Amino acid sequence: MAAPNRSGTLTAAKEVRLYPSRFHYEAPRTIDEACQMMAYYRDDAKVLSGGMSLIPLMKLRFASPGTIVDINNIEGLDYIEEAGGYLRIGALARNRAIVRSDLVRSRHPLMSSACPTISDPVVRNRGTLVGNCCHSDPQGDWVSVMMCLGGEIVARSVDGERVIPIEQFTTGPFSNSLQSHEIAVEARIPGSTNYGEYHKIERKVGDFATVAVGVALNIAGGSVSHCGIALTGVAPSNLKCYDAERAVMGGTLNEGTIEAAARAASAAASPRSDHRGSEEYKRTMVEVFVRRSLRAAAGIRAA
Amino acid sequence: MPEFRNVVVTVNEEPREAEIEPRLLLVHFLREVCGLTGTHFGCDTTSCGCCTVLFDGVPVKSCTVLGVQADGHEIITVEGLGSPSELSPVQEGFHEEHGLQCGFCTPGMMMTATAFLDENPNPTEEEIRWALSGNNCRCTGYVNIVKAVKWAAKKMATSGVSARGAAPIR
């Protein structure tokens, strides 16, 4: 072991604990440089942003990338801004910043409601929305939120830029439709919604969802002009509930449409009984949360 | 041959330079290369928060950050709080209210509490509990820890000293 000293040069660490497999480390300073690296390393490389999901997987050796392209030194990727009709969230915008953002809250209250349930405050200091989407954990919350809001991922490579709707971005557990030389640089979410809530049952702070339900609405002149409903933890992957959305789209929120949406969402879910709860319980909670959200949105007092 | 990288990390305001493998986790860099064993190593799964240090002033779990990522950055560990002759308000609070208990989670709790109090010097109990929710106490003795943080807030208000004791965190 290296001899500790007060300051100055330490000798190489030879006997320290080293958990992940060996990898080659790159720390590009610009996005163009990062794209060139990805074009070079391709499948061998993984992009490291917050690292709050990737590094644990590497420690467990579930992931052993040959090269890590750490994008944390790229300046100007941590923005949260509105431009061109979109709320744009850079790949290095931390969840900490999203929780605190007045812009996010004013444009999409669902995001501000969901963010505090994602991991814990210390993990949120580093974790990112874009990284969470790329990780595509079927239990991940941000993908559901993006589904509710019609979000898209902007992918950059040496070939240029392309925009991928979130439903086409996540392709299954821990897989996404990025090509091996592409980097997700931004999440963008169109327009604004004036109501949104994320309900999540978790056993402890920072846990995965036993059941989570995201609801986002835009109600203009009493009529629902946007409705997004998505579920986490009650299907093999994040689930957008098209039938439930259609039940309230274009009309007014009333007991009839609310009930139809709640039942449709519950029917769309395919939860499994496990140590967190029975299938019936999870299905019921989906219904309860959709009903509760829509009633609150309609200003109807819960019975 | 393993790849080594030269890093210069400012730890508790002193530069530390070392050749490390990129896979070396920050917690092991601090404990085993720098010899600063105050940062504890608990769950290894980004859950418990015992390894929390301040990374450019922001609490992070150092078991889930690579040592090379700290190159050019400032780290403050529990050794960087106060001094043996003059404890920081947070350290003093843990002493006064017996927030220490078994002591294992204490470094992480104090690092999170220090950054929290510098941002929110007059918190409610609920805010304290929320701020500490990423740090687990395995005695489940949060009552005294919350009291300790409250004590520190009061001390800061009356003494004008920052949570860290010395200069405020940037």
Side-chain angles (χ1 to χ4, degrees):
Chain A
M1 187 191 292
N5 59 7
R6 292 282 295 160
S7 64
T9 303
L10 298 158
T11 52
K14 292 209 172 68
E15 290 166 38
V16 292
R17 277 181 267 195
L18 295 158
Y19 288 179
S21 300
R22 247 173 221 142
F23 56 83
H24 171 58
Y25 176 78
E26 295 276 12
R29 292 271 165 186
T30 66
I31 191 69
D32 287 342
E33 207 184 324
C35 289
Q36 282 159 18
M37 285 171 182
M38 292 307 286
Y40 179 77
Y41 294 110
R42 299 248 163 187
D43 283 332
D44 191 47
K46 277 292 253 183
V47 173
L48 174 65
S49 56
M52 296 294 107
S53 299
L54 178 60
I55 294 177
L57 288 186
M58 288 169 65
K59 287 196 284 187
L60 294 165
R61 307 233 175 157
F62 289 149
S64 298
T67 299
I68 284 292
V69 176
D70 177 3
I71 60 170
N72 281 279
N73 294 310
I74 300 174
E75 277 189 30
L77 265 187
D78 60 350
Y79 55 89
I80 298 174
E81 63 182 29
E82 192 168 41
Y86 288 94
L87 178 66
R88 295 171 186 266
I89 296 183
L92 286 179
R94 312 286 172 182
N95 287 328
R96 165 195 177 90
I98 295 171
V99 166
R100 296 165 179 222
S101 168
D102 290 333
L103 176 66
V104 170
R105 193 170 298 107
S106 70
R107 293 303 175 271
H108 294 294
L110 171 62
M111 294 179 72
S112 301
S113 170
C115 197
T117 75
I118 297 171
S119 64
D120 65 57
V122 184
V123 173
R124 280 197 297 276
N125 284 344
R126 254 188 117 67
T128 63
L129 183 157
V130 174
N132 184 277
C133 290
C134 288
H135 186 55
S136 295
D137 188 321
Q139 294 265 351
D141 298 285
W142 276 132
V143 171
S144 289
V145 172
M146 292 277 282
M147 282 177 165
C148 290
L149 300 172
E152 300 164 330
I153 298 288
V154 180
R156 182 85 72 84
S157 74
V158 287
D159 303 331
E161 214 168 76
R162 73 183 176 112
V163 179
I164 312 162
I166 194 71
E167 291 89 344
Q168 285 152 38
F169 182 76
T170 52
T171 50
F174 305 103
S175 60
N176 62 48
S177 58
L178 281 180
Q179 291 175 31
S180 62
H181 67 302
E182 287 180 318
I183 302 175
V185 291
E186 179 182 287
R188 59 183 221 186
I189 300 124
S192 65
T193 45
N194 54 18
Y195 176 83
E197 258 185 5
Y198 198 72
H199 289 283
K200 179 171 173 176
I201 300 175
E202 52 185 7
R203 292 177 304 174
K204 63 171 184 59
V205 167
D207 200 1
F208 292 110
T210 299
V211 177
V213 177
V215 176
L217 297 168
N218 201 49
I219 307 177
S223 173
V224 178
S225 60
H226 173 90
C227 175
I229 298 175
L231 315 178
T232 312
V234 289
S237 53
N238 304 79
L239 186 69
K240 185 167 164 69
C241 302
Y242 295 100
D243 287 344
E245 293 172 356
R246 268 193 292 271
V248 293
M249 262 300 287
T252 55
L253 285 176
N254 57 49
E255 288 293 351
T257 55
I258 290 171
E259 212 46 41
R263 294 215 178 125
S266 177
S270 53
R272 285 185 9 194
S273 295
D274 59 17
H275 56 291
R276 291 188 167 107
S278 68
E279 182 202 333
E280 190 188 7
Y281 164 70
K282 294 178 185 180
R283 207 180 275 287
T284 303
M285 288 318 294
V286 169
E287 197 175 315
V288 167
F289 286 150
V290 172
R291 188 184 293 130
R292 196 176 286 173
S293 288
L294 293 176
R295 279 186 173 171
I300 300 168
R301 289 172 69 93
Chain B
M1 262 300 286
E3 173 184 326
F4 280 88
R5 305 274 298 204
N6 188 65
V7 296
V8 182
V9 186
T10 305
V11 183
N12 301 331
E13 296 175 358
E14 289 178 28
R16 305 273 187 156
E17 187 170 1
E19 297 278 333
I20 59 171
E21 274 200 69
R23 60 180 172 152
L24 180 70
L25 301 170
L26 179 58
V27 63
H28 299 313
F29 173 80
L30 295 169
R31 286 178 59 88
E32 298 174 37
V33 179
C34 299
L36 296 167
T37 53
T39 301
H40 287 171
F41 187 57
C43 68
D44 193 22
T45 57
T46 334
S47 303
C48 78
C50 292
C51 64
T52 303
V53 299
L54 305 186
F55 188 112
D56 292 338
V58 177
V60 302
K61 295 185 180 179
S62 63
C63 76
T64 311
V65 177
L66 303 172
V68 284
Q69 293 188 276
D71 185 25
H73 292 274
E74 291 194 11
I75 303 295
I76 294 173
T77 69
V78 70
E79 289 91 344
L81 300 183
S83 67
S85 58
E86 197 172 352
L87 298 177
S88 76
V90 170
Q91 288 173 314
E92 212 178 335
F94 272 71
H95 177 256
E96 290 298 322
E97 297 291 349
H98 190 47
L100 276 154
Q101 302 166 138
C102 93
F104 196 82
C105 71
T106 307
M109 289 284 182
M110 293 206 294
M111 299 319 289
T112 301
T114 297
F116 169 66
L117 285 175
D118 269 342
E119 276 186 21
N120 183 355
N122 188 22
T124 64
E125 178 170 336
E126 197 188 346
E127 287 169 334
I128 295 170
R129 286 182 179 274
W130 179 241
L132 294 176
S133 60
N135 294 74
N136 296 351
C137 162
R138 52 189 185 181
C139 329
T140 67
Y142 298 95
V143 172
N144 286 353
I145 293 170
V146 173
K147 278 189 199 164
V149 177
K150 266 191 202 156
W151 193 98
K154 213 175 262 177
K155 173 76 185 244
M156 285 165 66
T158 53
S159 69
V161 176
S162 77
R164 203 188 136 200
I169 300 159
R170 292 191 299 130

